[in-house]
Amino acid sequence: MDKILYKLDSFEGPLDLLLTLIQKNKVSIYDIPIVEITAQYLEAIEGIEEADLDNTSEFLVMASHLLYIKSKMLLPKNEEEEEEDPREELAKRLVEYQQFKEASKELRKSEFSTKYMVFREAEKINFPIPEYNINHNTDELLEAFNSIFQRQLRRSKPEKRAFSKIVGREKVSVDDMVEKICKRLRRESKIVFEMLFAPEDSKPEMIATFLAVLEMIKLGKLYADYDRDKKDFILTTEK
């Protein structure tokens, strides 16, 4: 097996890295040689805990998922029952990601197609903005978090701690989550509360994120307003 020399910061996420490994090995997405691909993936993310990446946890979660699939495939099969291929869901995610990636390439091609066009400036429309003067307590925010948490539990994969002897014990600090939220707020002026939690987040990550939100609100670095249309809290750094 060739030595992996990829730099993780050149990939948009674990699916991007995984798709590159599959293409490098010239194998089908629908028939992934899970043992070889998992070994190459683990080699590629070696030392990731020291890497300064915003999505470090996503790479580790994917590593746990690959090990889970590998263990399922190594178990003896019951010949009398038809068992679902544990790679099927991953293959679907990879196909969807590949389609979006190819679509983004096409969009980039047309990015400068309007270079020589002149557009009329947008007209400013003045309309009164209703004042938002409803106060919310922490119980309402806790209720919103609990709703998100329960949905995550119903569709979550086995947590990384199930493979703690292989990939190490997960450590998540509130300070890390505060830093992660701050980085995101520098890119986005407003964040929907539910969007702070990714589908693959573990329980410790979700709880640390929620505690980070409460701590930032307590220190006056974050404000939460309820959006009736979205039926969720909107987090912003400005009142």
Side-chain angles (χ1 to χ4, degrees):
M1 183 168 51
D2 296 336
K3 179 72 176 175
I4 303 297
L5 298 174
Y6 300 129
K7 290 185 177 180
L8 290 181
D9 55 5
S10 62
F11 295 97
E12 295 180 3
L15 285 176
D16 199 27
L17 172 58
L18 200 54
L19 188 61
T20 300
L21 292 173
I22 289 170
Q23 292 169 345
K24 177 180 179 292
N25 286 274
K26 298 179 181 179
V27 294
S28 170
I29 289 177
Y30 297 101
D31 189 21
I32 302 171
I34 200 69
V35 174
E36 291 80 0
I37 292 297
T38 300
Q40 292 181 13
Y41 183 92
L42 292 174
E43 185 180 355
I45 68 168
E46 186 177 352
I48 191 174
E49 293 180 349
E50 287 75 34
D52 185 18
L53 298 175
D54 291 341
N55 56 350
T56 298
S57 61
E58 295 178 14
F59 285 95
L60 293 174
V61 169
M62 178 59 75
S64 297
H65 187 51
L66 287 172
L67 291 167
Y68 170 74
I69 295 174
K70 177 182 174 182
S71 65
K72 288 277 287 184
M73 294 190 70
L74 291 176
L75 289 173
K77 294 181 174 58
N78 189 339
E79 296 180 359
E80 297 179 0
E81 297 180 6
E82 275 191 33
E83 295 185 5
E84 184 180 349
D85 191 333
R87 301 171 297 177
E88 184 176 347
E89 184 183 348
L90 179 61
K92 289 179 181 178
R93 289 175 62 192
L94 284 166
V95 169
E96 288 178 0
Y97 177 78
Q98 188 176 39
Q99 290 172 343
F100 280 113
K101 189 173 182 179
E102 290 173 357
S104 67
K105 287 181 181 177
E106 292 300 317
L107 289 173
R108 286 194 190 98
K109 289 179 183 177
S110 59
E111 183 178 359
F112 300 104
S113 61
T114 57
K115 182 178 180 180
Y116 299 104
M117 293 184 182
V118 178
F119 297 91
R120 179 180 176 181
E121 291 186 6
E123 295 181 5
K124 293 183 179 179
I125 302 175
N126 297 318
F127 55 89
I129 302 176
E131 292 186 5
Y132 188 90
N133 55 7
I134 302 174
N135 294 323
H136 297 280
N137 56 43
T138 54
D139 289 340
E140 292 176 277
L141 195 60
L142 180 59
E143 185 179 345
F145 170 72
N146 187 52
S147 176
I148 296 168
F149 188 72
Q150 293 302 321
R151 286 202 302 273
Q152 294 282 74
L153 283 180
R154 288 194 292 270
R155 62 191 181 198
S156 62
K157 299 283 190 310
E159 295 187 18
K160 286 183 288 183
R161 66 184 180 185
F163 305 95
S164 59
K165 294 183 180 178
I166 304 174
V167 296
R169 182 176 296 177
E170 180 180 21
K171 297 179 182 178
V172 184
S173 72
V174 175
D175 288 342
D176 289 340
M177 292 300 108
V178 168
E179 185 178 349
K180 184 177 180 180
I181 294 171
C182 288
K183 284 182 180 179
R184 186 163 176 182
L185 285 168
R186 284 197 286 270
R187 299 193 303 266
E188 308 170 38
S189 59
K190 296 180 180 179
I191 304 174
V192 178
F193 180 58
E194 185 174 359
M195 294 298 102
L196 286 176
F197 307 94
E200 62 273 11
D201 282 354
S202 64
K203 291 180 187 177
E205 287 172 327
M206 293 185 69
I207 293 170
T209 300
F210 179 61
L211 293 176
V213 170
L214 293 180
E215 183 66 17
M216 293 176 74
I217 291 174
K218 178 182 176 182
L219 297 174
K221 294 182 179 180
L222 194 65
Y223 302 93
D225 287 333
Y226 191 77
D227 189 312
R228 292 188 180 89
D229 294 330
K230 297 183 183 296
K231 295 182 179 180
D232 202 348
F233 284 90
I234 306 298
L235 305 177
T236 179
T237 55
E238 298 179 0
K239 251 185 177 180

